[in-house]
Amino acid sequence: MIILLKKNADPGQVENLKSLLRSRGVEPHESVGSLQTVIGCVGDVAHIDPGILEALDVVEQVQRVQEPYKAANRKFHPEDSAIDCGGVKIGAGGFGVIAGPCSVESEEQVVGIAKAVKAAGATLLRGGAFKPRTSPYAFQGLGKVGLDMLSTAKRETGLPIVTELMDFRDIELFNDVDVIQIGARNMQNFNLLKEVGAYTKKPILLKRGMSATLQELLMSAEYVMASGNPNVILCERGIRTFETALRNTLDLGVVTMLRRLSHLPIVIDPSHATGHAYMVDSVAVAATAIGADGLIIEVHNDPPHAKCDGAQSQTPEMFVRTMEKVRDVRALVEKWHERK
Ligand code: PEP
Ligand code: MN
């Protein structure tokens, strides 16, 4: 249930309303927007009569909400959320480009790529130090050493870093990390989501599981948010279908649907979505045009020799061209917004 408050509602009466809700076993979550203030009710509201609430002076309207996610729900929070990612704003008009190798392989590699993607216009650096690999015999990432290399790249370029946390026992190694990625394979690792949500307010880049519905993705965001961290960025990276020509199947309509369902920013990953470096450019451009809040793109200095995901990694030269197009399209998207 959500309660829309009247404009200029008396703060004392709003407090009375909140106490009334608490006395009925419901936790009120107030969201103050520039146009509208709403109170989201978390708990069993079945026994509360909306008519009684609507009779109160401060209440404009009461709506019952069907969706099981509350904190991530746009109905509770009508305005887009902007997430501060180490000084880079993603969401609510802020567009972030996260670029870098699938995995950190050496200091020289990650620092070199960081400089190249920064020069091309990327605003954040990605790179996996802990890698979720299908095979236990495949390269598993450099772990703590890889995180140290990312820190060096951050110091040398000023780019905030995005890297994946697979196991909460490693969280103390993530002090210098700006955005914590929870990968597709861990999207429904509920203990990890709860632990990370309770431990930190750093932004969480939550990737959609390969067989997860949008509601399941939003419920996973809800786990992080309900545990205390409101700073979640949703990432669509394609899902598994019967199609095998592409690594995954990407429906860009998801951006428009998630925008309707949630206030959280939405980032598209054209690299994992397609699996082919030559496709990343056009899909990145299309994702920008449909209104995504950002992109995460794999870039490698020597894709044929990459330890992970070389086939889908752009070279720095390819990334430069993609960024030129993305900038052009972004300028158009901003113009369309002004016209609205
Ligand atoms: C990655 O970003 O390198 C990664 C492993 O992605 P995903 O979890 O989407 O497969
Ligand atoms: Mn990868």
Side-chain angles (χ1 to χ4, degrees):
M1 178 183 277
I2 58 170
I3 303 169
L4 273 75
L5 297 183
K6 286 195 179 137
K7 280 212 179 83
N8 308 320
D10 174 60
Q13 288 193 40
V14 174
E15 279 315 307
N16 290 345
L17 167 61
K18 289 198 214 162
S19 317
L20 171 72
L21 292 166
R22 286 198 190 97
S23 73
R24 308 292 304 270
V26 168
E27 193 47 41
H29 287 264
E30 190 171 352
S31 167
V32 182
S34 57
L35 296 175
Q36 219 164 29
T37 295
V38 299
I39 293 182
C41 302
V42 178
D44 182 11
V45 291
H47 58 286
I48 298 182
D49 178 357
I52 289 181
L53 298 177
E54 270 173 349
L56 298 174
D57 268 354
V58 282
V59 175
E60 177 78 45
Q61 203 191 340
V62 178
Q63 284 174 7
R64 287 224 181 255
V65 176
Q66 304 302 327
E67 297 88 5
Y69 48 93
K70 310 284 176 196
N73 198 319
R74 184 175 288 281
K75 287 183 189 156
F76 278 16
H77 191 293
E79 291 175 26
D80 289 344
S81 280
I83 313 274
D84 178 356
C85 301
V88 176
K89 177 177 135 178
I90 298 189
F95 186 81
V97 179
I98 308 164
C102 177
S103 59
V104 177
E105 298 171 11
S106 70
E107 187 172 300
E108 194 190 4
Q109 174 239 19
V110 74
V111 172
I113 295 173
K115 287 182 178 163
V117 297
K118 182 176 181 178
T123 45
L124 297 106
L125 172 67
R126 67 150 286 149
F130 295 93
K131 293 304 303 176
R133 302 305 300 277
T134 302
S135 166
Y137 308 116
F139 177 59
Q140 303 286 305
L142 297 179
K144 181 182 178 325
V145 174
L147 291 177
D148 292 341
M149 293 171 181
L150 281 169
S151 287
T152 305
K154 174 176 167 173
R155 263 200 316 278
E156 296 213 5
T157 59
L159 291 177
I161 50 188
V162 183
T163 194
E164 178 164 355
L165 175 72
M166 288 170 61
D167 186 332
F168 189 70
R169 286 172 293 188
D170 295 322
I171 191 77
E172 277 165 26
L173 303 175
F174 278 59
N175 283 338
D176 196 34
V177 172
D178 297 281
V179 177
I180 300 175
Q181 176 173 325
I182 303 284
R185 290 155 190 81
N186 269 319
M187 188 205 84
Q188 285 190 315
N189 182 340
F190 301 119
N191 286 338
L192 179 61
L193 299 173
K194 280 193 275 192
E195 284 170 318
V196 92
Y199 181 87
T200 181
K201 289 205 164 43
K202 277 187 188 175
I204 305 299
L205 182 73
L206 180 64
K207 299 191 90 175
R208 181 181 183 182
M210 58 186 89
S211 62
T213 64
L214 294 184
Q215 177 153 315
E216 285 164 342
L217 170 63
L218 291 168
M219 290 307 286
S220 290
E222 192 77 12
Y223 262 98
V224 177
M225 299 173 90
S227 306
N229 183 350
N231 301 313
V232 179
I233 299 169
L234 305 170
C235 179
E236 169 62 88
R237 39 78 78 210
I239 54 170
R240 182 163 287 180
T241 67
F242 52 82
E243 181 56 71
T244 54
L246 294 91
R247 183 173 180 184
N248 288 292
T249 297
L250 173 69
D251 175 358
L252 283 175
V254 158
V255 175
T256 313
M257 177 55 81
L258 283 175
R259 183 80 71 220
R260 184 186 180 92
L261 299 174
S262 177
H263 54 92
L264 298 174
I266 306 145
V267 162
I268 295 290
D269 176 344
S271 310
H272 292 88
T274 63
H276 301 288
Y278 76 90
M279 294 189 69
V280 169
D281 178 79
S282 56
V283 174
V285 168
T288 309
I290 207 166
D293 300 293
L295 300 166
I296 176 165
I297 297 181
E298 288 187 343
V299 178
H300 198 282
N301 54 315
D302 184 11
H305 295 103
K307 290 210 161 118
C308 187
D309 286 350
Q312 68 194 32
S313 296
Q314 287 193 319
T315 59
E317 295 72 32
M318 292 166 90
F319 182 68
V320 167
R321 286 194 292 279
T322 298
M323 281 305 296
E324 284 165 3
K325 295 184 199 171
V326 164
R327 266 193 297 275
D328 286 350
V329 175
R330 240 342 259 181
L332 273 176
V333 170
E334 277 163 19
K335 205 160 108 188
W336 299 335
H337 269 282
E338 280 160 25
R339 262 194 228 150
K340 262 205 273 179

